[in-house]
Amino acid sequence: MAPKILFVLTSYGEILDSDGKPIQPTGWYLPEFAHPYDVLSPKSEIVIASPKGGVSPLDSHSLQPWIQDDSSSATFYSTKKALWGNTAKISEFLGRADEFDAIFFPGGHAPMFDLATDKDSIALINEFWAKGKVTAAVCHGPAAFVNVTLPSGESILKGKDVSGFSSAEEDAMDMSKYMPFVLEDQMKAVGGVYHKAADLWAPTVCVSGKLITGQNPASAKSVGEAIAKALGELSSKASSTVSAMAIYFGFSFTSSATSGVISVSMVEKATFVNPGVNRPQN
């Protein structure tokens, strides 16, 4: 039976100023949905949910240059609109974690405003985690994890190698002033061991047991690959380890460990960092 994965999108479509006036549209970010979907959909059943159900807003700012320069995003945008045009409500999946093998949260700035505090999303993540399901997110998607407290009283991120959109990248986009919190800082504050690439926009993927996180849009494909590998190992029962791979500009790196970090940039080779060994300083 093919693995079944729940993709959770945002329902938030507009950033507002302090007076409640619209500043700019927002939503989920095109390649962060398209790239993992392309990796996972050929051999998986994918179900789409959002807090409110119905149409999940696509961030219009993510169309350019992606639909011009990236064939995956362009094809996805032109042929898969039904996926985000009629999403189910997150609440419909509470108590149904046993039906799925993984849950994944694409980014875009919007999850910072709704998924970070959505009670149904937080409860759903707790259910998936308790059942040992692969739990993943990319870019601003890890905002969905920062308020997830496990029954032990600890954050789901505590002691885990994690990544997400960096403060430097947020500043470079001049978006920090609009965010309800600083994602990098909050991931650290709840106990996550945060990693980022040396260069802005270069990909980083962290695999910490069944928790998989990626830094930015360039990390999305590799997050999808890490999910596929984790699911493959679960289904084959061949090993209890999690393999991770990143591919960027033709460079490929593969390793196997219980957890680790992959950083790839245009000027650096990939590195794999095991927990507690050669851990980069942030």
Side-chain angles (χ1 to χ4, degrees):
M1 182 180 296
K4 190 173 182 180
I5 306 170
L6 184 62
F7 276 42
V8 181
L9 301 178
T10 181
S11 292
Y12 197 87
E14 216 160 31
I15 296 175
L16 309 176
D17 65 15
S18 58
D19 296 322
K21 296 179 180 178
I23 297 172
Q24 68 177 55
T26 188
W28 53 269
Y29 206 75
L30 180 59
E32 296 168 22
F33 187 179
H35 291 178
Y37 183 88
D38 279 357
V39 171
L40 296 166
S41 62
K43 295 184 178 180
S44 304
E45 178 185 353
I46 294 177
V47 179
I48 314 297
S50 65
K52 295 181 180 179
V55 177
S56 175
L58 164 64
D59 186 344
S60 58
H61 294 99
S62 68
L63 295 178
Q64 302 297 339
W66 292 97
I67 60 172
Q68 290 182 330
D69 300 339
D70 178 55
S71 60
S72 170
S73 294
T75 301
F76 184 82
Y77 177 69
S78 64
T79 64
K80 301 296 182 181
K81 290 184 174 67
L83 292 175
W84 64 88
N86 188 27
T87 66
K89 290 183 179 179
I90 292 174
S91 60
E92 296 176 20
F93 299 97
L94 291 173
R96 296 171 56 187
D98 284 333
E99 299 176 21
F100 293 86
D101 299 283
I103 188 169
F104 169 63
F105 294 79
H109 286 99
M112 298 278 285
F113 294 89
D114 63 351
L115 291 171
T117 56
D118 185 85
K119 293 181 179 179
D120 289 332
S121 177
I122 291 169
L124 192 66
I125 294 166
N126 250 307
E127 289 181 6
F128 270 67
W129 190 255
K131 296 287 186 177
K133 308 297 182 176
V134 174
T135 303
V138 69
C139 200
H140 291 88
F145 301 152
V146 298
N147 290 311
V148 176
T149 302
L150 302 176
S152 65
E154 295 182 340
S155 168
I156 193 174
L157 301 181
K158 185 176 180 180
K160 307 290 196 310
D161 289 296
V162 294
S163 192
F165 205 60
S166 71
S167 299
E169 288 167 323
E170 204 77 87
D171 289 343
M173 293 186 69
D174 196 28
M175 289 295 291
S176 297
K177 58 190 175 185
Y178 301 127
M179 294 298 101
F181 59 93
V182 180
L183 181 57
E184 177 181 336
D185 290 353
Q186 190 60 27
M187 294 180 80
K188 293 175 181 176
V190 298
V193 182
Y194 180 85
H195 300 266
K196 58 186 174 184
D199 302 306
L200 293 179
W201 322 120
T204 292
V205 176
C206 294
V207 180
S208 194
K210 291 184 175 64
L211 184 70
I212 300 170
T213 50
Q215 181 177 334
N216 47 31
S219 309
K221 180 180 178 181
S222 293
V223 168
E225 290 168 344
I227 294 170
K229 286 182 175 294
L231 292 177
E233 289 177 354
L234 289 173
S235 63
S236 67
K237 299 181 181 179
S239 171
S240 63
T241 62
V242 177
S243 297
M245 177 167 65
I247 301 174
Y248 193 67
F249 280 62
F251 183 85
S252 176
F253 174 81
T254 306
S255 184
S256 184
T258 54
S259 65
V261 182
I262 301 169
S263 296
V264 192
S265 75
M266 297 194 324
V267 297
E268 294 181 326
K269 292 183 177 180
T271 59
F272 191 92
V273 183
N274 285 319
V277 181
N278 194 30
R279 177 164 283 160
Q281 299 299 311
N282 292 307

mmCIF file of all heavy atoms in Angstrom, residues 199-242:
data_model
loop_
_atom_site.group_PDB
_atom_site.id
_atom_site.type_symbol
_atom_site.label_atom_id
_atom_site.label_comp_id
_atom_site.label_asym_id
_atom_site.label_seq_id
_atom_site.Cartn_x
_atom_site.Cartn_y
_atom_site.Cartn_z
ATOM 1 N N ASP A 199 25.439 30.726 3.582
ATOM 2 C CA ASP A 199 25.036 31.762 2.622
ATOM 3 C C ASP A 199 23.528 31.915 2.604
ATOM 4 O O ASP A 199 22.785 30.928 2.724
ATOM 5 C CB ASP A 199 25.526 31.394 1.215
ATOM 6 C CG ASP A 199 27.026 31.221 1.147
ATOM 7 O OD1 ASP A 199 27.739 32.149 1.550
ATOM 8 O OD2 ASP A 199 27.479 30.144 0.701
ATOM 9 N N LEU A 200 23.062 33.141 2.427
ATOM 10 C CA LEU A 200 21.637 33.378 2.276
ATOM 11 C C LEU A 200 21.095 32.571 1.105
ATOM 12 O O LEU A 200 21.726 32.474 0.056
ATOM 13 C CB LEU A 200 21.366 34.863 2.026
ATOM 14 C CG LEU A 200 21.659 35.844 3.168
ATOM 15 C CD1 LEU A 200 21.340 37.269 2.717
ATOM 16 C CD2 LEU A 200 20.869 35.485 4.412
ATOM 17 N N TRP A 201 19.902 31.985 1.319
ATOM 18 C CA TRP A 201 19.134 31.269 0.300
ATOM 19 C C TRP A 201 19.699 29.891 -0.055
ATOM 20 O O TRP A 201 19.115 29.181 -0.860
ATOM 21 C CB TRP A 201 18.972 32.102 -0.990
ATOM 22 C CG TRP A 201 18.752 33.558 -0.726
ATOM 23 C CD1 TRP A 201 19.535 34.599 -1.140
ATOM 24 C CD2 TRP A 201 17.681 34.148 0.021
ATOM 25 N NE1 TRP A 201 19.032 35.801 -0.683
ATOM 26 C CE2 TRP A 201 17.896 35.559 0.024
ATOM 27 C CE3 TRP A 201 16.573 33.638 0.699
ATOM 28 C CZ2 TRP A 201 17.022 36.439 0.670
ATOM 29 C CZ3 TRP A 201 15.716 34.515 1.346
ATOM 30 C CH2 TRP A 201 15.950 35.896 1.318
ATOM 31 N N ALA A 202 20.841 29.515 0.517
ATOM 32 C CA ALA A 202 21.379 28.173 0.275
ATOM 33 C C ALA A 202 20.609 27.176 1.144
ATOM 34 O O ALA A 202 20.189 27.506 2.255
ATOM 35 C CB ALA A 202 22.868 28.116 0.576
ATOM 36 N N PRO A 203 20.423 25.946 0.674
ATOM 37 C CA PRO A 203 19.570 25.002 1.396
ATOM 38 C C PRO A 203 20.244 24.324 2.581
ATOM 39 O O PRO A 203 21.437 24.041 2.559
ATOM 40 C CB PRO A 203 19.206 23.966 0.330
ATOM 41 C CG PRO A 203 20.333 24.027 -0.639
ATOM 42 C CD PRO A 203 20.817 25.447 -0.653
ATOM 43 N N THR A 204 19.444 24.071 3.588
ATOM 44 C CA THR A 204 19.833 23.246 4.728
ATOM 45 C C THR A 204 18.644 22.367 5.095
ATOM 46 O O THR A 204 17.515 22.857 5.170
ATOM 47 C CB THR A 204 20.233 24.103 5.936
ATOM 48 O OG1 THR A 204 21.435 24.799 5.658
ATOM 49 C CG2 THR A 204 20.451 23.244 7.177
ATOM 50 N N VAL A 205 18.893 21.098 5.306
ATOM 51 C CA VAL A 205 17.860 20.157 5.723
ATOM 52 C C VAL A 205 18.342 19.446 6.984
ATOM 53 O O VAL A 205 19.467 18.956 7.018
ATOM 54 C CB VAL A 205 17.554 19.124 4.614
ATOM 55 C CG1 VAL A 205 16.545 18.095 5.113
ATOM 56 C CG2 VAL A 205 17.038 19.819 3.362
ATOM 57 N N CYS A 206 17.502 19.407 7.996
ATOM 58 C CA CYS A 206 17.822 18.705 9.233
ATOM 59 C C CYS A 206 16.914 17.493 9.388
ATOM 60 O O CYS A 206 15.695 17.604 9.219
ATOM 61 C CB CYS A 206 17.622 19.619 10.437
ATOM 62 S SG CYS A 206 18.758 21.015 10.508
ATOM 63 N N VAL A 207 17.504 16.367 9.708
ATOM 64 C CA VAL A 207 16.767 15.136 9.990
ATOM 65 C C VAL A 207 17.093 14.737 11.422
ATOM 66 O O VAL A 207 18.229 14.415 11.726
ATOM 67 C CB VAL A 207 17.151 14.012 9.016
ATOM 68 C CG1 VAL A 207 16.385 12.750 9.335
ATOM 69 C CG2 VAL A 207 16.911 14.436 7.568
ATOM 70 N N SER A 208 16.105 14.800 12.293
ATOM 71 C CA SER A 208 16.304 14.485 13.704
ATOM 72 C C SER A 208 15.265 13.433 14.095
ATOM 73 O O SER A 208 14.144 13.766 14.473
ATOM 74 C CB SER A 208 16.164 15.750 14.553
ATOM 75 O OG SER A 208 16.652 15.550 15.860
ATOM 76 N N GLY A 209 15.630 12.168 13.949
ATOM 77 C CA GLY A 209 14.648 11.106 14.109
ATOM 78 C C GLY A 209 13.588 11.229 13.034
ATOM 79 O O GLY A 209 13.900 11.288 11.847
ATOM 80 N N LYS A 210 12.335 11.322 13.441
ATOM 81 C CA LYS A 210 11.240 11.455 12.471
ATOM 82 C C LYS A 210 10.861 12.916 12.210
ATOM 83 O O LYS A 210 9.889 13.185 11.498
ATOM 84 C CB LYS A 210 10.028 10.655 12.948
ATOM 85 C CG LYS A 210 10.248 9.151 12.906
ATOM 86 C CD LYS A 210 8.995 8.392 13.298
ATOM 87 C CE LYS A 210 9.196 6.895 13.122
ATOM 88 N NZ LYS A 210 10.234 6.346 13.994
ATOM 89 N N LEU A 211 11.628 13.849 12.773
ATOM 90 C CA LEU A 211 11.387 15.274 12.533
ATOM 91 C C LEU A 211 12.314 15.759 11.430
ATOM 92 O O LEU A 211 13.536 15.648 11.525
ATOM 93 C CB LEU A 211 11.629 16.071 13.806
ATOM 94 C CG LEU A 211 11.314 17.570 13.727
ATOM 95 C CD1 LEU A 211 9.801 17.780 13.615
ATOM 96 C CD2 LEU A 211 11.856 18.303 14.936
ATOM 97 N N ILE A 212 11.726 16.311 10.366
ATOM 98 C CA ILE A 212 12.487 16.779 9.206
ATOM 99 C C ILE A 212 12.136 18.237 8.954
ATOM 100 O O ILE A 212 10.956 18.586 8.826
ATOM 101 C CB ILE A 212 12.164 15.939 7.956
ATOM 102 C CG1 ILE A 212 12.527 14.467 8.191
ATOM 103 C CG2 ILE A 212 12.886 16.482 6.720
ATOM 104 C CD1 ILE A 212 12.024 13.522 7.116
ATOM 105 N N THR A 213 13.151 19.109 8.884
ATOM 106 C CA THR A 213 12.911 20.529 8.642
ATOM 107 C C THR A 213 13.909 21.071 7.628
ATOM 108 O O THR A 213 15.046 20.615 7.560
ATOM 109 C CB THR A 213 13.021 21.351 9.948
ATOM 110 O OG1 THR A 213 14.255 21.020 10.618
ATOM 111 C CG2 THR A 213 11.857 21.061 10.881
ATOM 112 N N GLY A 214 13.470 22.049 6.845
ATOM 113 C CA GLY A 214 14.329 22.682 5.853
ATOM 114 C C GLY A 214 14.287 24.186 5.988
ATOM 115 O O GLY A 214 13.294 24.760 6.458
ATOM 116 N N GLN A 215 15.359 24.841 5.562
ATOM 117 C CA GLN A 215 15.534 26.262 5.847
ATOM 118 C C GLN A 215 14.714 27.193 4.972
ATOM 119 O O GLN A 215 14.192 28.198 5.462
ATOM 120 C CB GLN A 215 17.018 26.632 5.719
ATOM 121 C CG GLN A 215 17.318 28.098 6.021
ATOM 122 C CD GLN A 215 18.789 28.423 5.951
ATOM 123 O OE1 GLN A 215 19.629 27.548 6.155
ATOM 124 N NE2 GLN A 215 19.118 29.673 5.653
ATOM 125 N N ASN A 216 14.608 26.921 3.685
ATOM 126 C CA ASN A 216 14.109 27.927 2.743
ATOM 127 C C ASN A 216 13.585 27.262 1.472
ATOM 128 O O ASN A 216 13.616 26.024 1.363
ATOM 129 C CB ASN A 216 15.229 28.926 2.426
ATOM 130 C CG ASN A 216 16.531 28.211 2.103
ATOM 131 O OD1 ASN A 216 16.529 27.103 1.569
ATOM 132 N ND2 ASN A 216 17.658 28.822 2.427
ATOM 133 N N PRO A 217 13.115 28.046 0.491
ATOM 134 C CA PRO A 217 12.588 27.424 -0.726
ATOM 135 C C PRO A 217 13.561 26.475 -1.410
ATOM 136 O O PRO A 217 13.136 25.439 -1.953
ATOM 137 C CB PRO A 217 12.264 28.633 -1.616
ATOM 138 C CG PRO A 217 11.975 29.732 -0.664
ATOM 139 C CD PRO A 217 12.913 29.520 0.486
ATOM 140 N N ALA A 218 14.842 26.795 -1.392
ATOM 141 C CA ALA A 218 15.833 25.941 -2.038
ATOM 142 C C ALA A 218 15.980 24.592 -1.341
ATOM 143 O O ALA A 218 16.559 23.657 -1.903
ATOM 144 C CB ALA A 218 17.186 26.645 -2.087
ATOM 145 N N SER A 219 15.453 24.476 -0.130
ATOM 146 C CA SER A 219 15.531 23.235 0.638
ATOM 147 C C SER A 219 14.347 22.311 0.386
ATOM 148 O O SER A 219 14.343 21.165 0.838
ATOM 149 C CB SER A 219 15.587 23.547 2.139
ATOM 150 O OG SER A 219 16.583 24.486 2.441
ATOM 151 N N ALA A 220 13.328 22.790 -0.326
ATOM 152 C CA ALA A 220 12.060 22.071 -0.399
ATOM 153 C C ALA A 220 12.185 20.696 -1.058
ATOM 154 O O ALA A 220 11.622 19.710 -0.579
ATOM 155 C CB ALA A 220 11.022 22.913 -1.140
ATOM 156 N N LYS A 221 12.906 20.612 -2.157
ATOM 157 C CA LYS A 221 13.038 19.323 -2.832
ATOM 158 C C LYS A 221 13.740 18.317 -1.929
ATOM 159 O O LYS A 221 13.333 17.148 -1.836
ATOM 160 C CB LYS A 221 13.803 19.476 -4.145
ATOM 161 C CG LYS A 221 13.968 18.153 -4.901
ATOM 162 C CD LYS A 221 14.720 18.332 -6.206
ATOM 163 C CE LYS A 221 14.900 16.991 -6.915
ATOM 164 N NZ LYS A 221 15.645 17.130 -8.192
ATOM 165 N N SER A 222 14.796 18.751 -1.265
ATOM 166 C CA SER A 222 15.542 17.848 -0.400
ATOM 167 C C SER A 222 14.724 17.427 0.817
ATOM 168 O O SER A 222 14.895 16.320 1.326
ATOM 169 C CB SER A 222 16.856 18.496 0.036
ATOM 170 O OG SER A 222 17.716 18.653 -1.077
ATOM 171 N N VAL A 223 13.841 18.292 1.306
ATOM 172 C CA VAL A 223 12.924 17.890 2.368
ATOM 173 C C VAL A 223 12.010 16.775 1.862
ATOM 174 O O VAL A 223 11.787 15.771 2.549
ATOM 175 C CB VAL A 223 12.106 19.086 2.881
ATOM 176 C CG1 VAL A 223 10.942 18.617 3.763
ATOM 177 C CG2 VAL A 223 12.992 20.040 3.669
ATOM 178 N N GLY A 224 11.499 16.940 0.641
ATOM 179 C CA GLY A 224 10.676 15.890 0.055
ATOM 180 C C GLY A 224 11.432 14.580 -0.063
ATOM 181 O O GLY A 224 10.892 13.500 0.218
ATOM 182 N N GLU A 225 12.692 14.661 -0.462
ATOM 183 C CA GLU A 225 13.513 13.454 -0.592
ATOM 184 C C GLU A 225 13.765 12.807 0.767
ATOM 185 O O GLU A 225 13.764 11.575 0.899
ATOM 186 C CB GLU A 225 14.825 13.805 -1.285
ATOM 187 C CG GLU A 225 14.640 14.148 -2.759
ATOM 188 C CD GLU A 225 15.869 14.781 -3.389
ATOM 189 O OE1 GLU A 225 16.764 15.234 -2.646
ATOM 190 O OE2 GLU A 225 15.916 14.838 -4.630
ATOM 191 N N ALA A 226 13.978 13.636 1.797
ATOM 192 C CA ALA A 226 14.198 13.103 3.144
ATOM 193 C C ALA A 226 12.936 12.410 3.664
ATOM 194 O O ALA A 226 13.019 11.363 4.325
ATOM 195 C CB ALA A 226 14.628 14.221 4.087
ATOM 196 N N ILE A 227 11.766 12.989 3.368
ATOM 197 C CA ILE A 227 10.509 12.342 3.750
ATOM 198 C C ILE A 227 10.379 10.996 3.043
ATOM 199 O O ILE A 227 10.036 9.977 3.659
ATOM 200 C CB ILE A 227 9.306 13.243 3.409
ATOM 201 C CG1 ILE A 227 9.323 14.517 4.257
ATOM 202 C CG2 ILE A 227 7.992 12.491 3.620
ATOM 203 C CD1 ILE A 227 8.307 15.566 3.811
ATOM 204 N N ALA A 228 10.653 10.986 1.731
ATOM 205 C CA ALA A 228 10.542 9.744 0.962
ATOM 206 C C ALA A 228 11.466 8.672 1.514
ATOM 207 O O ALA A 228 11.082 7.495 1.624
ATOM 208 C CB ALA A 228 10.856 10.019 -0.509
ATOM 209 N N LYS A 229 12.679 9.058 1.873
ATOM 210 C CA LYS A 229 13.628 8.089 2.408
ATOM 211 C C LYS A 229 13.171 7.562 3.765
ATOM 212 O O LYS A 229 13.268 6.365 4.056
ATOM 213 C CB LYS A 229 15.014 8.721 2.510
ATOM 214 C CG LYS A 229 15.691 8.874 1.154
ATOM 215 C CD LYS A 229 17.075 9.445 1.299
ATOM 216 C CE LYS A 229 17.772 9.459 -0.068
ATOM 217 N NZ LYS A 229 18.019 8.093 -0.578
ATOM 218 N N ALA A 230 12.663 8.456 4.609
ATOM 219 C CA ALA A 230 12.179 8.029 5.913
ATOM 220 C C ALA A 230 11.010 7.061 5.760
ATOM 221 O O ALA A 230 10.932 6.040 6.453
ATOM 222 C CB ALA A 230 11.766 9.239 6.746
ATOM 223 N N LEU A 231 10.099 7.347 4.854
ATOM 224 C CA LEU A 231 8.952 6.467 4.633
ATOM 225 C C LEU A 231 9.387 5.144 4.025
ATOM 226 O O LEU A 231 8.846 4.086 4.362
ATOM 227 C CB LEU A 231 7.932 7.153 3.722
ATOM 228 C CG LEU A 231 7.221 8.368 4.319
ATOM 229 C CD1 LEU A 231 6.293 8.987 3.289
ATOM 230 C CD2 LEU A 231 6.456 7.996 5.574
ATOM 231 N N GLY A 232 10.374 5.202 3.135
ATOM 232 C CA GLY A 232 10.877 3.980 2.529
ATOM 233 C C GLY A 232 11.492 3.053 3.547
ATOM 234 O O GLY A 232 11.302 1.839 3.510
ATOM 235 N N GLU A 233 12.212 3.630 4.494
ATOM 236 C CA GLU A 233 12.846 2.818 5.524
ATOM 237 C C GLU A 233 11.811 2.250 6.481
ATOM 238 O O GLU A 233 11.922 1.117 6.946
ATOM 239 C CB GLU A 233 13.879 3.655 6.281
ATOM 240 C CG GLU A 233 15.100 3.944 5.428
ATOM 241 C CD GLU A 233 16.100 4.838 6.139
ATOM 242 O OE1 GLU A 233 15.785 5.315 7.232
ATOM 243 O OE2 GLU A 233 17.183 5.039 5.592
ATOM 244 N N LEU A 234 10.748 3.036 6.760
ATOM 245 C CA LEU A 234 9.707 2.527 7.636
ATOM 246 C C LEU A 234 8.974 1.363 6.989
ATOM 247 O O LEU A 234 8.667 0.360 7.636
ATOM 248 C CB LEU A 234 8.716 3.649 7.967
ATOM 249 C CG LEU A 234 9.222 4.748 8.896
ATOM 250 C CD1 LEU A 234 8.193 5.867 8.974
ATOM 251 C CD2 LEU A 234 9.491 4.195 10.280
ATOM 252 N N SER A 235 8.695 1.492 5.677
ATOM 253 C CA SER A 235 7.927 0.457 5.002
ATOM 254 C C SER A 235 8.739 -0.808 4.779
ATOM 255 O O SER A 235 8.216 -1.912 4.831
ATOM 256 C CB SER A 235 7.402 0.984 3.655
ATOM 257 O OG SER A 235 8.476 1.303 2.792
ATOM 258 N N SER A 236 10.032 -0.653 4.535
ATOM 259 C CA SER A 236 10.869 -1.822 4.279
ATOM 260 C C SER A 236 11.366 -2.473 5.562
ATOM 261 O O SER A 236 11.780 -3.627 5.567
ATOM 262 C CB SER A 236 12.074 -1.423 3.430
ATOM 263 O OG SER A 236 12.937 -0.572 4.165
ATOM 264 N N LYS A 237 11.328 -1.696 6.677
ATOM 265 C CA LYS A 237 11.848 -2.166 7.966
ATOM 266 C C LYS A 237 13.293 -2.647 7.845
ATOM 267 O O LYS A 237 13.734 -3.518 8.587
ATOM 268 C CB LYS A 237 10.965 -3.283 8.532
ATOM 269 C CG LYS A 237 9.534 -2.851 8.799
ATOM 270 C CD LYS A 237 8.716 -3.983 9.387
ATOM 271 C CE LYS A 237 7.281 -3.547 9.631
ATOM 272 N NZ LYS A 237 6.464 -4.650 10.188
ATOM 273 N N ALA A 238 13.995 -2.044 6.886
ATOM 274 C CA ALA A 238 15.363 -2.479 6.648
ATOM 275 C C ALA A 238 16.325 -1.928 7.679
ATOM 276 O O ALA A 238 17.361 -2.513 7.956
ATOM 277 C CB ALA A 238 15.806 -2.046 5.249
ATOM 278 N N SER A 239 15.982 -0.748 8.264
ATOM 279 C CA SER A 239 16.914 -0.128 9.184
ATOM 280 C C SER A 239 16.171 0.853 10.054
ATOM 281 O O SER A 239 15.152 1.401 9.664
ATOM 282 C CB SER A 239 18.018 0.606 8.403
ATOM 283 O OG SER A 239 18.811 1.380 9.260
ATOM 284 N N SER A 240 16.669 1.102 11.242
ATOM 285 C CA SER A 240 16.071 2.102 12.116
ATOM 286 C C SER A 240 16.714 3.457 11.928
ATOM 287 O O SER A 240 16.378 4.421 12.595
ATOM 288 C CB SER A 240 16.227 1.680 13.584
ATOM 289 O OG SER A 240 17.592 1.608 13.924
ATOM 290 N N THR A 241 17.690 3.531 11.016
ATOM 291 C CA THR A 241 18.339 4.808 10.775
ATOM 292 C C THR A 241 17.574 5.608 9.755
ATOM 293 O O THR A 241 16.739 5.100 9.020
ATOM 294 C CB THR A 241 19.777 4.607 10.257
ATOM 295 O OG1 THR A 241 19.710 3.912 9.005
ATOM 296 C CG2 THR A 241 20.606 3.828 11.247
ATOM 297 N N VAL A 242 17.843 6.896 9.713
ATOM 298 C CA VAL A 242 17.235 7.789 8.742
ATOM 299 C C VAL A 242 18.317 8.279 7.814
ATOM 300 O O VAL A 242 19.299 8.851 8.258
ATOM 301 C CB VAL A 242 16.548 8.988 9.443
ATOM 302 C CG1 VAL A 242 15.987 9.953 8.416
ATOM 303 C CG2 VAL A 242 15.436 8.490 10.353
#
